[in-house]
Amino acid sequence: MTTSSEIRDRFNLQYNNVLSGAAPGLDDYEISLYLTAAYKEVIYNSYSGNSKQESVDTSERMRSLLSPLITTFDISDSDDITPIPTIVPNYFTTEVAVDSTTWYILSETAYLNNNALKVVPITYDELNLIKGNPFKSPNKFRAWRLDRGNNGDRVVLIISIQPITRYTYSCVTLPAPIILSDLTLISTELSINGYTALSIPKELSNDWLLTKIINRACELATKDYKENNLNTQLSLNTRSE
């Protein structure tokens, strides 16, 4: 199993080599921030296809990379499925509270009792364009899905011919933070995504993934040191793997 010491040593070696030892040293909190940001970028680019135009379904390599983060949820509890006032006349709208770790939904199905419906994700702009189109509207085989927030939590709105009774979906979950040591030993005010304890996600046993994360984390740290300005940050945000 990959250890925090191994990750720290690999990051520091590469970081110091790039900057020839000129940059100030980074503590575990700072290294953990860069690693966590890099992990999220690598997973996003792998999902979206920015990594050499390869997305999750284009190769076995990409599927194996993302598979530890793909989870299926089955929601049928009445506390999580709530009929609300409809937002489309003549149809029903059901609010579903999805799991807090949900990032990108890959596939989904809604149910009217035992009848499975294909769920079509749409935007609010698309809703305004197609809500009167009988060939695209919800029916006994199809429902629409809109995304929105509810008091800081993510929910989906399922628009259908009747209120749904169950919703299942598979998704890419949010990566756990990479934390190299107990952050409270540095400061009691520090955390990453609300976590402070040592955290090495088990997916990092994949050396190819770990190498990509360390490479990207070193790039982020190096850019921050060399060109800490707004233009640099904007270019980093649009960079493809």
Side-chain angles (χ1 to χ4, degrees), residues 3 25 29 34 52 71 74 77 142 147 153 170 176-177 211 217 224:
T3 66
Y29 173 66
Y34 285 123
K52 300 179 181 179
T71 303
D74 189 338
D77 193 313
R142 176 177 58 227
D147 292 275
D153 296 324
S170 295
T211 298
D224 274 354

Side-chain angles (χ1 to χ4, degrees), residues 95-169:
E95 181 181 276
V96 183
V98 298
D99 190 86
S100 60
T101 63
T102 301
W103 196 7
Y104 297 110
I105 295 176
L106 302 174
S107 64
E108 55 194 315
T109 304
Y111 293 85
L112 298 177
N113 296 315
N114 293 322
N115 182 36
L117 305 178
K118 176 183 178 181
V119 177
V120 180
I122 62 172
T123 66
Y124 286 88
D125 286 342
E126 289 171 331
L127 175 64
N128 290 329
L129 291 174
I130 67 175
K131 63 183 178 182
N133 186 332
F135 299 103
K136 296 184 178 180
S137 296
N139 55 36
K140 63 180 180 179
F141 305 109
R142 176 177 58 227
W144 288 338
R145 186 252 294 172
L146 289 168
D147 292 275
R148 78 172 186 187
N150 183 3
N151 296 322
D153 296 324
R154 180 180 175 183
V155 300
V156 297
L157 303 182
I158 305 298
I159 301 168
S160 53
I161 59 173
Q162 293 291 331
I164 66 168
T165 54
R166 180 183 168 204
Y167 176 67
T168 65
Y169 67 99

Side-chain angles (χ1 to χ4, degrees), residues 31 34 119 135 173 198 214:
I31 297 174
Y34 285 123
V119 177
F135 299 103
T173 55
L198 171 69
I214 291 175

Side-chain angles (χ1 to χ4, degrees), residues 24 43 59 67 69 78 89 163 168 171-172 180-181 191 200 217 225:
I43 294 302
S59 70
S67 59
L69 295 175
S78 59
T168 65
C171 67
V172 178
L180 298 183
S181 62
S191 69
I200 307 298
Y225 174 72

Side-chain angles (χ1 to χ4, degrees), residues 18-48:
V18 170
L19 293 171
S20 301
L26 302 175
D27 63 26
D28 276 2
Y29 173 66
E30 293 165 323
I31 297 174
S32 298
L33 280 176
Y34 285 123
L35 289 168
T36 298
Y39 187 17
K40 192 170 182 179
E41 281 194 29
V42 168
I43 294 302
Y44 169 75
N45 287 331
S46 299
Y47 162 78
S48 64

